[in-house]
Amino acid sequence: MAPSAITPPVQQADKLDSAAVARKLAETAPELVKNGKTESTLRPLDASKLKFTRTSTPMTVPAPGDPIIATASQCTDHMITAVWKSGEGWADPELKPYGNFSLPPTASVLHYATECFEGMKMYRGYDGKLRLFRPDCNCRRMVMSSVRCSLPAFDPKELEKLIIAMIAVDGPKWLPTPGTFLYLRPTMIGSAGALGVATPKEATLFVISTFMPPMDQKTGLKLLASTNGVRAWPGGFGYAKLGANYGPSLLANGEARERGYDQVLWLLDGKVTEAGASNFFVVWKSPEGKIELVTAPLHDKIILDGVTRRSILQLARERLTDGKSGLDAIEIVERNFTMEEVIAAVKEGRIIEAFAAGTAFFVSAVSIINYKEQDLQIPMARGEMGEYASLIKSWLVNIMYGKEQHEWGVVVEEEQL
C-alpha cells in the first residue's frame, strides 16, 4: 500500500512531517510503502496469528436503561491486544478477557502523550446481521495518526481483521437487539518504561468495546463560538486522532456547558473549524442565490478527516446535486468560511440549517450558535432537524443497519452462542 493510501486525500504535510512519516512507515511497516523493502526482519502485525483466551468470568449485559450505560464504562467480555517492540516488531495479537493494564510510571504515554485512537461502532441490523461501517477508513486513519505521534505503523487490513474477530465473539451476546449499536475503541499507546523525550521503543495496541449513551439532541445542539482559544492550528496535528487534541479542549467544553451550551464551535482567526469533537456543516443560500452545503477543508491540517464527514460529502455529491432527492439541488463546497459569513446569512434569511457530524454525535442538528454574547437562531425545518441533514442521516442509518445494501456496510460472520 502506498503512503498516499494512508494519508487522507488532499491533506499534505509540510516537508519535515512528510519526510518523518515516510521514514516511520519504511522503518516499522515496510510492506505499506510502494517499492519498499519487504525483507525486513521486523515482524508485521498479523491477524492470522491471533491467540484466543476466552473469559472464565463472563460479565452481565446491562438491561436497556441501566444507569451504567450512561457512564460509557461497561465493556464487553473480551479485548484485543498486541505489543510492538523496537528491533522485533509485532508479537502475536491476543483476544483475551477484558481487564486492566499494568504500566510502568515511566511509560511514554503518561509523559509525552504518545497515544492515538479511533472511534467506530458495530451495529445490529434490522435484518439481524452484525455490521461495521467503513472500518477500512478508520483503520487507515489510525495508521496515519500513529506515525504522526511516533508510534509504529501497521497494515490497516490486519487491524480490521482483529476488530472483526473480536466482535464476532462478543457481538452475539452483547448486541442482540436489532437497531442498536456498541462503541468500538481501537487505541495505541507508547508503553515503554523509560523517561526521555524520544520515540517509544515499545507500543501497545488494544481494541475494546463499550456501551455508549445516545447523544441525540431533540432540540438541536447549542454551540458557543470560541473567541479566545483554538483547538488546532495550521501545521499542527488537528487532522490526526490523538488524545493530545482532546484533553486541552475539555476545559472550554466544560465552560460552555456551564453557560448552558452543548459544545464549543471552534474558530481560528474567525474561520469556522469544528463543533466540539465533530465536523461542522452549514446549508445556506449564497449571496448569488445558490444553495450550498459548506464545510471546512482538510488541506491546512486543522480538520479531522471524519469518516462520517467523508460519507456525508460522498452521499451528498451522489444524491443531492441533481434535484432528484425531493429537495432542491445543492452544491457541495469545501472551503474556509467565517463567523461573519454565518452572521450575514442569518441576518439576511439565507441560512437553511446547520449540523455537526461524527461517530459519537452522529448527525446532530444545530439550533443556536452564540457568538460574542449574541444567540444566532438556526432553522430546523423538520422540528428536530433540517431537511437536508434529516435525509442524509436516514441514508446513513439505512446503510449501517442493513435497510440499504451498500459496500460501506461490512457484514460480520458471528460465532454461534
Side-chain angles (χ1 to χ4, degrees):
M1 182 180 295
S4 61
I6 302 300
T7 305
V10 308
Q11 191 161 271
Q12 299 297 322
D14 59 36
K15 291 182 179 180
L16 182 61
D17 280 352
S18 188
V21 166
R23 182 185 298 276
K24 195 69 177 177
L25 285 168
E27 288 177 350
T28 60
E31 68 272 16
L32 300 184
V33 183
K34 188 176 181 180
N35 299 323
K37 298 179 180 180
T38 57
E39 63 272 14
S40 171
T41 58
L42 295 179
R43 297 184 63 195
L45 184 65
D46 187 349
S48 71
K49 298 185 182 298
L50 180 63
K51 298 176 179 178
F52 288 79
T53 304
R54 312 291 177 130
T55 182
S56 58
T57 55
M59 294 182 283
T60 301
V61 180
D66 190 316
I68 198 171
I69 294 175
T71 68
S73 63
Q74 176 63 62
C75 291
T76 60
D77 284 324
H78 298 95
M79 61 193 295
I80 294 283
T81 64
V83 176
W84 174 91
K85 292 184 178 180
S86 175
E88 298 178 18
W90 290 96
D92 292 345
E94 297 180 74
L95 182 146
K96 62 184 183 181
Y98 174 84
N100 294 336
F101 285 119
S102 177
L103 282 176
T106 52
S108 174
V109 64
L110 301 177
H111 300 270
Y112 310 117
T114 48
E115 186 266 1
C116 65
F117 66 95
E118 273 301 319
M120 52 198 298
K121 294 173 180 175
M122 56 170 155
Y123 304 87
R124 177 64 65 189
Y126 291 107
D127 56 1
K129 294 180 180 179
L130 187 65
R131 285 179 175 83
L132 294 169
F133 180 76
R134 306 192 76 177
D136 57 321
C137 295
N138 292 98
C139 295
R140 289 199 302 270
R141 187 174 64 184
M142 188 162 174
V143 175
M144 181 271 296
S145 297
S146 70
V147 297
R148 182 61 183 86
C149 63
S150 295
L151 292 172
F154 53 86
D155 187 337
K157 294 179 181 178
E158 298 304 305
L159 175 58
E160 183 177 348
K161 292 174 186 176
L162 292 173
I163 293 169
I164 287 173
M166 188 184 88
I167 70 172
V169 171
D170 280 355
K173 170 184 171 180
W174 289 87
L175 194 64
T177 307
T180 59
F181 69 85
L182 288 179
Y183 191 80
L184 292 164
R185 175 53 62 87
T187 307
M188 194 191 303
I189 61 174
S191 50
L195 290 179
V197 184
T199 299
K201 294 185 177 181
E202 178 185 295
T204 300
L205 170 69
F206 62 94
V207 184
I208 57 174
S209 181
T210 182
F211 285 85
M212 185 73 71
M215 294 188 176
D216 296 7
Q217 296 282 342
K218 302 300 183 183
T219 57
L221 291 171
K222 298 170 64 178
L223 304 180
L224 178 64
S226 64
T227 55
N228 59 0
V230 299
R231 189 198 76 90
W233 51 91
F237 44 85
Y239 67 94
K241 205 160 180 67
L242 311 180
N245 278 325
Y246 293 82
S249 72
L250 299 180
L251 189 65
N253 277 328
E255 180 62 22
R257 290 190 176 95
E258 285 294 320
R259 297 189 191 184
Y261 297 90
D262 299 300
Q263 292 285 338
V264 172
L265 180 63
W266 293 103
L267 309 181
L268 179 66
D269 296 328
K271 294 181 291 187
V272 177
T273 62
E274 295 191 335
S278 302
N279 296 121
F280 180 77
F281 297 79
V282 64
V283 181
W284 61 25
K285 282 188 178 180
S286 70
E288 297 75 30
K290 295 180 180 179
I291 301 178
E292 299 175 333
L293 172 65
V294 185
T295 194
L298 301 177
H299 60 76
D300 52 12
K301 301 175 66 180
I302 294 171
I303 304 298
L304 183 71
D305 182 17
V307 177
T308 309
R309 174 192 185 276
R310 180 186 294 205
S311 303
I312 287 170
L313 292 175
Q314 188 168 335
L315 288 175
R317 289 188 172 104
E318 293 173 356
R319 305 182 184 187
L320 288 176
T321 57
D322 57 8
K324 297 180 180 179
S325 68
L327 300 177
D328 290 335
I330 61 175
E331 183 176 329
I332 314 304
V333 180
E334 294 179 73
R335 70 166 177 86
N336 288 315
F337 64 101
T338 66
M339 270 305 302
E340 295 303 323
E341 289 182 86
V342 175
I343 292 169
V346 171
K347 290 182 175 179
E348 295 166 13
R350 294 186 288 105
I351 197 82
I352 296 173
E353 62 186 81
F355 58 94
T359 302
F361 276 91
F362 190 30
V363 179
S364 295
V366 172
S367 59
I368 291 175
I369 301 173
N370 181 282
Y371 182 59
K372 295 183 177 179
E373 306 303 324
Q374 178 185 2
D375 277 350
L376 304 173
Q377 302 293 327
I378 309 298
M380 297 192 298
R382 297 180 65 88
E384 296 181 0
M385 187 171 286
E387 291 185 315
Y388 290 96
S390 179
L391 185 57
I392 292 168
K393 183 176 182 178
S394 71
W395 289 335
L396 291 170
V397 167
N398 288 344
I399 295 170
M400 292 166 173
Y401 291 99
K403 287 187 174 181
E404 177 184 342
Q405 299 304 309
H406 196 286
E407 63 180 353
W408 293 349
V410 178
V411 176
V412 175
E413 295 297 327
E414 303 173 74
E415 290 193 358
Q416 298 298 315
L417 287 175

